[in-house]
Amino acid sequence: MLAAYHGAKLPWSTASVLGVAPRIIPRWRGIPAGAEVPSRRYQAAMLGLILRGVGFGRTLARRGLCSRAAAVAEALDKVRAQMAAARGSEEAAGSVRLVAVSKTKPAELLLEAYAAGQRHFGENYVQELVDKAPKLPQDVEWHFIGHLQSNKVNALINACPSLACLETIDSQKLARAVNKAWLAAGHARRLRVMVQVNSSGEESKHGIDPADCKALCQSIATECPGLQLAGLMTIGAPDYSGCRTEDFETLHRCRREAAEVLGVAPESLELSMGMSNDFEQAIRAGSSSVRVGSSILGARHYPA
């Protein structure tokens, strides 16, 4: 078996080197009589090759990580510059929240964005948020932006005490379930929530009908002491130029109606609208918060 390695060209990749290591440096005790035992010089030479291969692999890995970190930082800078241009200035753009949508992305990639100054991250699936939250620093502000089923509420609330905002409340039943779970968890602060509005009327989209928005907002404000109504959110229907302006106009109208019922200024309620394909247009239309994923962290790859 060992003779096969004499004079052989060993691969230099870390994975390959580590794969042959156990075979070319076995435990010499218990070798049957007559079996070939390599010389100490041969053993030393093989060990040197393995260690060099591992070091080379680590160097390549470090270079890959550095390149990935630079790409994420560059993408963030580009998005922030686009936000500033849409808003009119960097100072004005700072008043618009950038939520990096990280669904399907590993925690390691989120840490690269965190190192580049990003603090707000959005997740669509409860399990992904539950898995990633403990792996990132505690000052990360998590936004849940996917459809939330009532039977997943406790899992989300209990596993992510640092949840900053739940943007997809679309029924009184869900609002009450979230309120109950939040109060039961004993948090000192109220949980910021947004009402998701189905501004496009698409059956494939979640969200409350615009006509029922103000009633849900009033219910949250008066019946859910553990929740703070932060504003409204929509996804909107894409077209060839991005998101239809009708969706932005609908959300503005819903905000005016909700503010009138609550007796507050419309501007006190945030508008979460705009994604990778239309966040600039959304900012020009008055968005308070944009949700950008692929433009920062790259295209998503879903398991087959």
Side-chain angles (χ1 to χ4, degrees), residues 206-227:
H206 294 287
I208 197 166
D209 187 274
D212 300 321
C213 178
K214 60 184 178 181
L216 179 54
C217 290
Q218 186 174 33
S219 175
I220 292 172
T222 59
E223 301 173 19
C224 299
L227 308 183

Side-chain angles (χ1 to χ4, degrees), residues 118-255:
Q118 183 63 26
R119 292 295 180 270
H120 292 268
F121 291 90
E123 283 291 340
N124 290 66
Y125 306 114
V126 171
Q127 192 56 52
E128 278 201 65
L129 181 50
V130 168
D131 291 341
K132 293 174 187 176
K135 300 176 183 177
L136 267 73
Q138 293 184 353
D139 63 335
V140 164
E141 299 196 46
W142 293 101
H143 294 243
F144 189 78
I145 57 176
H147 178 62
L148 181 61
Q149 297 174 314
S150 296
N151 63 352
K152 297 286 184 69
V153 169
N154 285 327
L156 175 64
I157 299 303
N158 294 332
C160 188
S162 59
L163 185 64
C165 188
L166 201 168
E167 298 196 16
T168 51
I169 298 292
D170 59 1
S171 69
Q172 291 186 358
K173 177 184 176 181
L174 180 59
R176 289 167 183 156
V178 172
N179 177 68
K180 180 179 178 181
W182 189 259
L183 292 175
H187 295 290
R189 64 182 175 91
R190 291 189 295 166
L191 174 63
R192 286 166 50 85
V193 299
M194 291 188 173
V195 168
Q196 181 178 1
V197 179
N198 186 349
S199 58
S200 61
E202 295 171 279
E203 292 185 3
S204 60
K205 293 262 180 28
H206 294 287
I208 197 166
D209 187 274
D212 300 321
C213 178
K214 60 184 178 181
L216 179 54
C217 290
Q218 186 174 33
S219 175
I220 292 172
T222 59
E223 301 173 19
C224 299
L227 308 183
Q228 176 188 351
L229 180 64
L232 310 179
M233 178 269 229
T234 191
I235 295 176
D239 63 12
Y240 294 109
S241 62
C243 186
R244 305 181 310 159
T245 57
E246 295 95 315
D247 293 306
F248 300 150
E249 293 164 0
T250 296
L251 205 63
H252 273 285
R253 185 179 73 251
C254 287
R255 180 171 72 166

Side-chain angles (χ1 to χ4, degrees), residues 167 194 232-234 251 270-274 287-289 291:
E167 298 196 16
M194 291 188 173
L232 310 179
M233 178 269 229
T234 191
L251 205 63
E270 297 180 3
L271 297 179
S272 175
M273 56 189 193
S287 177
S288 314
S289 182
R291 310 177 304 275

Side-chain angles (χ1 to χ4, degrees), residues 7-26:
K9 252 187 179 179
L10 291 179
W12 285 83
S13 72
T14 303
S16 299
V17 169
L18 291 176
V20 302
R23 289 175 285 173
I24 62 178
I25 305 182

